[in-house]
Amino acid sequence: MDIAVADRLQFAFTIMFHYLFPIGTMGLAPFIAWYTWRGAKGDAEAAAAAAFWTKIFAINFAAGVVTGIPMEFQFGTNWAAFSAKTGGVIGQPLAMEGAFAFFLESIFLGILLYGKTRVSGAAHAFAALMVCLGSWLSGFFIVATDAWMQHPVGYAVAAGGRIEMASLWTVLSSPFALWQFTHVMTGAMLAGGVIVAGVGAYYLLSDRDLAIGRRFVRAGVIAGAICAVLVVFPTGDRNGNDVARYQPVKLAAMEGLFASTKGAPLAIIGMPDVRDHSLLDPVFVPDLLSFLAYGNARANVNGLTAYATELWPPVELTYYAYHVMVGLGTIFGAIAALAVLLLLWGGRLYRARWLLWLLLLAMPFPYIANEAGWTVTEVGRQPWIVYGLMRTAEGASPTVSGGETLFTLIGFAGMYFLLGVLFLYLTLREIGNGPGVAHE
Amino acid sequence: MNSLAFGILAFMLGVYVLLDGFDLGIATIAPLIGRSGAERESAMRAIGPFWNGNEVWLIAAGGALFALFPKAYASAFSGFYLPFVVVLWLLMFRGIAMELRGHFATKIWRDFWDAAFTASSALLVVLFGVALGNLIRGVPLDADGYFAGSFGFLLNPYALLVGATAVAALALHGATFAAMRIAGAPGDRAAALVPKLAVVVLLGFVATTGATAAIRWHDLPALWTGALPVAALVALWLAARNAAAARARAAFVASSVFLAALFAAAAATLYPMLLPGFAGAKGIGIFDAAPSTGALISAVLAVAVGIAVVGIYGTLVLLPQFREKVTINLNP
């Protein structure tokens, strides 16, 4: 097997599995901070909610650490040429993630888990806020690293082609990174909202922990509705503008647009046929793509055929992943809006069993939407590992063979299967144990 | 600045050896100090609050190597591809073993996971020792600085000797920790084990030092570094004596000094190289592998501030919370 393909498969598998857990930590952290603060002010039910979600958070955090170690090592083991050439830039935000964010998160998580009887309420609430900050900061450094690979800034090319850091500040404050980060964070918090609402719905449907279950449903759908808006506008919109500006081939692949078009339509559904350069069975909204990308309904949008085929990303995967993300995002928005309406309408939401079922069953889908979004970003970046600077095929380790990587990939799959079963068992057990408030 | 970066890296790895050393070591000797499942569980509970935090130092050192010396990071990690992946698997498997053992209360289930915990930990130490041995011996690098040799090359007698010595040294370290942290029979057995292990470590130490001098005779480090092995020997003797005299905390401190001196000696032997070449091959040194000075300064700052914060937190906040000894849980 081609080494770069095997390396990409391994990275894709390990990062997608790993990312399931940061979605949980980044998405739940704000809820924990909120409940801990309310708990510190004397709300006993909120304190129980905080303790409950902190336990779930800790399981996610542990699984995230365990699966995060191979991510950090993989840059060296599988992508040695890439690391040797660009390590002067990407090594720094990655090291800062470890040195600041990760330590911040683990230190204050310790206080949050074990310190309740040892520190004051205010200190406990502060620890929860720091855990939240740590998990978000962690996300920021990782996204900043990725954003540099999407749109490299603040670097200099040294002798021998080595790429070095010219300005750390430019790398960290790149607008591309900021909009990508806010989009990623609102996506994770949308997932957090669906998780909290879904667990609440589970308690209501099971006729147990009713008071706290209602609270979870209410907090989850309100946060979910807010994030369902934010994830589209402004963050998704601005992120899309950056892609249109700096990565027009990726945009064309996302939309399945083959021919350059003035007043390009937006394809709601359809199947890209790469051989015939066409979109099969499409449903279009006229002019919308031009408007969204450039703010002008008559603007020209370059199609894939405007670029050499070797610069195309894998079109089908980019297209489908993008449409899965947008489609799911739309459905979440509709469910959350409906749920908030019924909530405001005299709390009918708590009695609408069909909608509670919908909230419960919705739980896996924000994960799929988040993973699909990353698939668009990373698969759509191909054939570049650093956009315009270095090809993915040039980044692989020269001393490792495709067969070796395939072998270790299968090993990781086995190990992660065990880990996944353990994670589900521990999480479901905590949900089964419940927040421990007296039953009504 | 490049030497400072080397020093920071050596410091981080040294802290890792001291910290994860005791929990890997205690796992290695768990079957010797614990006769029953409940007794062995006391070994796991002794390291329960610590092991995850200890491993963070390995992750942080990996990240620091990436930021400080990208070329050495790339060459070492891809050159030692399979051993590195095996290390990752063992680290994960060890954590999973500790977690899984408690979930079913049957004897065969616990015995299996106890054995898996001990075996994966001991194997990890062997691999770490083998890696260190090969660093000192040198690895065959090609013109681009990539490793060009087989797994078999890495498993040479010298590296295996270092690996075996590492198992004994960390077992000793783990035994002093167990004597300090575990009350009752397992703690007493651990204390009694220390002088015996010290003899094994001494033999390994003499053999390794002799072999190292023979391998590196053409390129011996500065004379003052000779003080480090001497300090190590004194510390080893103190560890054995204090353990025999039931001064567990002093024994643990002495064992820590012993490991630190050994590790410092190894780092001094290596300096200023990161990956020395084998048999005349050009190696990777601290000036070949680093980015430009400006980039290096900001990377050094980022890493150093992080270490300072964690070090202060760890000693001031975390450790005092776990002063009380672990007792054997007879009703698990």
Side-chain angles (χ1 to χ4, degrees):
Chain A
M1 184 179 231
D2 178 56
I3 174 66
V5 175
D7 283 342
R8 280 176 59 197
L9 269 180
Q10 183 167 80
F11 204 92
F13 172 71
T14 50
I15 193 78
M16 287 177 85
F17 189 77
H18 167 70
Y19 193 62
L20 297 172
F21 308 113
I23 292 175
T25 55
M26 297 187 301
L28 290 177
F31 288 96
I32 293 171
W34 166 256
Y35 284 132
T36 310
W37 179 62
R38 301 292 305 168
K41 291 184 71 174
D43 179 344
E45 200 177 72
F52 171 75
W53 288 111
T54 304
K55 277 186 234 155
I56 307 257
F57 180 98
I59 299 168
N60 273 278
F61 182 73
V65 173
V66 169
T67 54
I69 303 173
M71 299 324 306
E72 191 203 23
F73 281 22
Q74 239 174 98
F75 286 104
T77 52
N78 295 21
W79 300 99
F82 165 62
S83 299
K85 185 169 175 177
T86 65
V89 178
I90 63 167
Q92 272 192 56
L94 288 178
M96 289 171 84
E97 194 255 344
F100 294 121
F102 181 55
F103 276 138
L104 190 70
E105 195 178 353
S106 37
I107 284 169
F108 284 100
L109 181 61
I111 297 178
L112 201 56
L113 278 173
Y114 303 114
K116 202 173 176 193
T117 51
R118 303 177 201 223
V119 298
S120 71
H124 206 231
F126 177 74
L129 195 65
M130 287 297 112
V131 167
C132 185
L133 184 70
S135 72
W136 285 22
L137 210 55
S138 207
F140 174 74
F141 283 121
I142 299 300
V143 169
T145 309
D146 181 70
W148 186 82
M149 292 163 67
Q150 302 286 346
H151 175 54
V153 292
Y155 66 92
V157 181
R162 202 142 88 179
I163 294 169
E164 300 209 324
M165 184 75 88
S167 162
L168 178 61
W169 176 247
T170 311
V171 171
L172 294 182
S173 66
S174 147
F176 198 105
L178 299 181
W179 286 115
Q180 193 185 342
F181 173 64
T182 49
H183 188 56
V184 164
M185 291 317 299
T186 44
M189 281 168 61
L190 174 57
V194 175
I195 295 166
V196 172
V199 170
Y202 167 73
Y203 289 144
L204 296 188
L205 289 169
S206 318
D207 210 17
R208 56 173 280 199
D209 295 298
L210 294 177
I212 209 162
R214 282 194 199 111
R215 221 171 152 146
F216 288 166
V217 168
R218 186 175 66 216
V221 297
I222 290 174
I226 295 170
C227 290
V229 174
L230 291 178
V231 84
V232 180
F233 190 86
T235 67
D237 177 54
R238 296 300 293 267
N239 205 201
N241 290 345
D242 284 341
V243 170
R245 192 152 150 210
Y246 300 114
Q247 303 176 320
V249 205
K250 184 196 270 185
L251 181 76
M254 282 157 62
E255 302 290 356
L257 185 73
F258 286 94
S260 300
T261 314
K262 282 200 170 67
L266 189 81
I268 304 294
I269 53 171
M271 293 178 286
D273 182 335
V274 176
R275 225 175 333 166
D276 284 351
H277 292 182
S278 66
L279 199 62
L280 305 176
D281 306 328
V283 174
F284 284 129
V285 181
D287 296 344
L288 189 56
L289 177 57
S290 288
F291 178 75
L292 288 177
Y294 299 108
N296 172 0
R298 297 312 304 160
N300 175 60
V301 180
N302 274 352
L304 284 161
T305 51
Y307 307 92
T309 333
E310 54 132 23
L311 293 176
W312 292 13
V315 175
E316 297 92 335
L317 191 49
T318 311
Y319 174 91
Y320 287 123
Y322 176 65
H323 282 75
V324 164
M325 174 187 77
V326 172
L328 285 176
T330 312
I331 294 170
F332 298 145
I335 296 178
L338 194 62
V340 170
L341 276 179
L342 286 184
L343 180 72
L344 295 177
W345 188 14
R348 278 175 173 72
L349 173 61
Y350 304 132
R351 295 186 296 278
R353 292 182 74 82
W354 60 276
L355 191 51
L356 294 176
W357 266 107
L358 211 54
L359 287 174
L360 175 62
L361 296 178
M363 282 171 80
F365 291 96
Y367 284 95
I368 296 174
N370 273 282
E371 299 277 8
W374 275 110
T375 307
V376 178
T377 313
E378 305 309 316
V379 173
R381 189 191 64 227
Q382 306 304 325
W384 303 101
I385 194 164
V386 182
Y387 216 82
L389 280 183
M390 188 181 194
R391 302 258 180 157
T392 309
E394 300 163 351
S397 297
T399 54
V400 179
S401 73
E404 276 177 317
T405 304
L406 204 57
F407 163 69
T408 57
L409 171 60
I410 293 166
F412 274 112
M415 192 66 85
Y416 283 7
F417 176 75
L418 202 58
L419 201 64
V421 170
L422 185 61
F423 171 81
L424 279 179
Y425 168 71
L426 293 175
T427 307
L428 294 179
R429 195 180 59 172
E430 285 306 335
I431 294 174
N433 287 346
V437 183
H439 290 209
E440 287 160 80
Chain B
M1 188 48 67
N2 297 53
S3 297
L4 180 64
F6 181 89
I8 288 179
L9 206 57
F11 173 77
M12 293 177 84
L13 279 174
V15 172
Y16 172 71
V17 170
L18 289 187
L19 293 179
D20 217 27
F22 71 69
D23 68 59
L24 289 166
I26 215 172
T28 311
I29 57 162
L32 298 176
I33 62 169
R35 302 261 158 84
S36 67
E39 285 187 352
R40 283 194 298 271
E41 189 182 314
S42 66
M44 289 198 200
R45 289 203 297 132
I47 61 172
F50 303 108
W51 69 273
N52 215 333
N54 295 346
E55 280 179 7
V56 167
W57 283 93
L58 181 67
I59 308 173
L65 178 65
F66 193 4
L68 299 171
F69 301 111
K71 206 176 154 196
Y73 166 83
S75 180
F77 279 45
S78 65
F80 299 131
Y81 183 73
L82 287 177
F84 254 113
V85 173
V86 172
V87 163
L88 283 177
W89 290 348
L90 287 172
L91 281 172
M92 288 182 177
F93 189 66
R94 187 168 168 262
I96 291 174
M98 262 188 278
E99 180 60 45
L100 279 178
R101 111 181 261 288
H103 287 299
F104 294 96
T106 60
K107 183 175 182 304
I108 194 164
W109 176 264
R110 295 200 163 181
D111 286 354
F112 171 77
W113 287 113
D114 282 345
F117 174 59
T118 296
S120 53
S121 303
L123 198 53
L124 264 174
V125 180
V126 173
L127 284 175
F128 285 141
V130 166
L132 182 65
N134 278 299
L135 277 187
I136 290 170
R137 184 168 177 253
V139 286
L141 296 169
D142 64 16
D144 294 329
Y146 285 106
F147 174 66
S150 67
F151 206 156
F153 174 87
L154 298 173
L155 296 175
N156 52 71
Y158 174 74
L160 288 172
L161 175 66
V162 178
T165 309
V167 173
L170 293 190
L172 175 103
H173 194 48
T176 60
F177 185 76
M180 180 173 77
R181 285 271 300 160
I182 306 173
D188 296 341
R189 279 187 214 120
L193 210 53
V194 172
K196 291 176 200 157
L197 282 169
V199 176
V200 181
V201 174
L202 181 67
L203 291 176
F205 175 79
V206 171
T208 313
T209 310
T212 308
I215 282 175
R216 304 271 309 208
W217 61 270
H218 53 91
D219 181 26
L220 283 176
L223 197 60
W224 65 267
T225 54
L228 290 169
V230 176
L233 278 179
V234 174
L236 183 62
W237 180 72
L238 281 174
R241 238 194 79 158
N242 281 315
R247 288 191 294 266
R249 186 159 300 178
F252 179 68
V253 171
S255 164
S256 302
V257 172
F258 169 70
L259 284 180
L262 270 197
F263 190 80
T269 313
L270 203 56
Y271 181 84
M273 299 304 285
L274 290 160
L275 270 185
F278 180 69
K282 192 177 176 308
I284 298 177
I286 59 172
F287 290 97
D288 309 314
S292 65
T293 311
L296 191 60
I297 290 175
S298 80
V300 163
L301 276 178
V303 174
V305 171
I307 298 176
V309 171
V310 182
I312 292 166
Y313 170 79
T315 41
L316 290 188
V317 183
L318 199 59
L319 285 181
Q321 291 195 357
F322 299 101
R323 275 270 161 79
E324 60 274 17
K325 278 195 172 187
V326 170
T327 48
I328 304 162
N329 188 358
L330 290 174
N331 309 304

